Amino acid sequence: SSGINAEYGDFEKFSKIKMCEILKYVKSPSEATSPNMCAFVNHFNAVSFWASSMILLRETKDERQKVYRRFLHVMEHLIKLNNFSSAFALFAAVSKTAVRRVISLTHKQEKILDSSHSLMDSSDSHKNLRSALRSATPPLIPYLGLCVADLTFLIHGNPDKLEGGEINFTKRHLTYKFMDVVRRSQITPYNIAPRDDVITFFNNFSDHLEEEEMWRRSEDIKPRRRRG
């Protein structure tokens, strides 16, 4: 139920993003001009850091393995529910070096991780993720990092006007096309009733370690071998 309730919070934040915010964010990220976009990006990062922290803060190896296994399961579930955003956030969390070095994977877990890596892999311009997004039907939450990367390349890499002074309509059309993927995804919400106890447990994913703290914790669990 934790994965399902995460959908509720994710979509609530995602649906608030206005199209003009995305364009402003691509040109110059600012909470003043793109408050909902910034809130969603911060949420993505918080989910990822929170999940990594939940694993690393367990006291025993068995507890860490159990929580890691749970997050793999939730990640699989999020992919099936077309929540590519939080699935990507969890993939980043379970793949983090500070986490992976203290976890022993079973063959089955390695297969799940490999399958997820194949989907999230950035090679060939995120070919597999783009394919999954095209074939997915709403409700869905796309990975906005992909949309931002596409728009950044399009907006900063192409002129607004052609050499003869004409408006670059191809650029305008492609900008609309990229943003329409987000707009259409916002129309259909997940049919999920939120559970207050689960939402309270998540605490907006604010209880997490920072990057340096994660490494310190990881090395407390498994000290690095000293050379010589």
Side-chain angles (χ1 to χ4, degrees):
S1 79
S2 58
I4 291 174
N5 269 262
E7 307 289 334
Y8 173 80
D10 290 349
F11 192 84
E12 189 182 32
K13 289 178 176 64
F14 170 64
S15 63
K16 288 179 181 175
I17 300 169
K18 297 178 176 68
M19 295 303 101
C20 61
E21 285 190 46
I22 299 175
L23 277 179
K24 288 172 182 173
Y25 183 87
V26 167
K27 289 175 181 175
S28 179
S30 163
E31 289 191 8
T33 54
S34 309
N36 297 301
M37 182 66 183
C38 286
F40 193 75
V41 171
N42 291 340
H43 172 70
F44 175 94
N45 293 330
V47 168
S48 188
F49 272 62
W50 176 83
S52 295
S53 302
M54 287 288 285
I55 297 164
L56 288 168
L57 289 172
R58 299 308 98 189
E59 287 300 325
T60 68
K61 181 180 179 180
D62 284 348
E63 287 175 336
R64 289 190 290 273
Q65 296 287 142
K66 186 179 177 182
V67 175
Y68 191 94
R69 185 169 64 244
R70 176 67 178 158
F71 281 131
L72 282 183
H73 174 72
V74 172
M75 180 179 68
E76 278 190 301
H77 192 64
L78 290 170
I79 292 169
K80 286 174 185 170
L81 288 172
N82 294 333
N83 183 344
F84 297 102
S85 180
S86 279
F88 210 114
L90 281 190
F91 174 73
V94 298
S95 303
K96 198 179 282 287
T97 307
V99 172
R100 281 288 293 111
R101 65 187 293 276
V102 299
I103 294 293
S104 303
L105 292 183
T106 64
H107 179 64
K108 184 182 177 184
Q109 288 166 347
E110 279 183 357
K111 282 184 74 175
I112 293 170
L113 209 54
D114 286 346
S115 172
S116 302
H117 181 267
S118 176
L119 176 65
M120 312 294 183
D121 190 16
S122 60
S123 63
D124 281 342
S125 188
H126 283 286
K127 176 184 168 186
N128 294 338
L129 186 57
R130 289 179 192 279
S131 176
L133 280 168
R134 275 196 302 272
S135 61
T137 53
L140 75 97
I141 305 176
Y143 170 50
L144 283 189
L146 196 55
C147 177
V148 168
D150 287 343
L151 283 170
T152 300
F153 177 78
L154 181 66
I155 289 168
H156 295 295
N158 296 276
D160 288 331
K161 291 188 177 180
L162 303 174
E163 285 183 11
E166 306 97 335
I167 291 170
N168 188 346
F169 281 110
T170 302
K171 178 178 178 178
R172 297 283 193 282
H173 175 69
L174 287 173
T175 302
Y176 166 78
K177 191 175 169 186
F178 287 145
M179 291 177 62
D180 196 48
V181 171
V182 177
R183 186 194 63 78
R184 283 186 284 112
S185 302
Q186 291 178 319
I187 295 170
T188 310
Y190 286 89
N191 185 21
I192 293 163
R195 269 181 53 185
D196 290 341
D197 60 329
V198 176
I199 290 168
T200 301
F201 169 73
F202 285 148
N203 192 25
N204 214 21
F205 303 96
S206 59
D207 302 326
H208 61 74
L209 302 173
E210 296 303 326
E211 194 80 50
E212 272 188 33
E213 293 172 311
M214 284 190 206
W215 266 109
R216 279 201 296 272
R217 174 63 185 151
S218 179
E219 289 178 2
D220 283 345
I221 295 166
K222 183 181 176 182
R224 290 193 195 199
R225 289 179 185 171
R226 296 191 177 182
R227 290 179 183 175

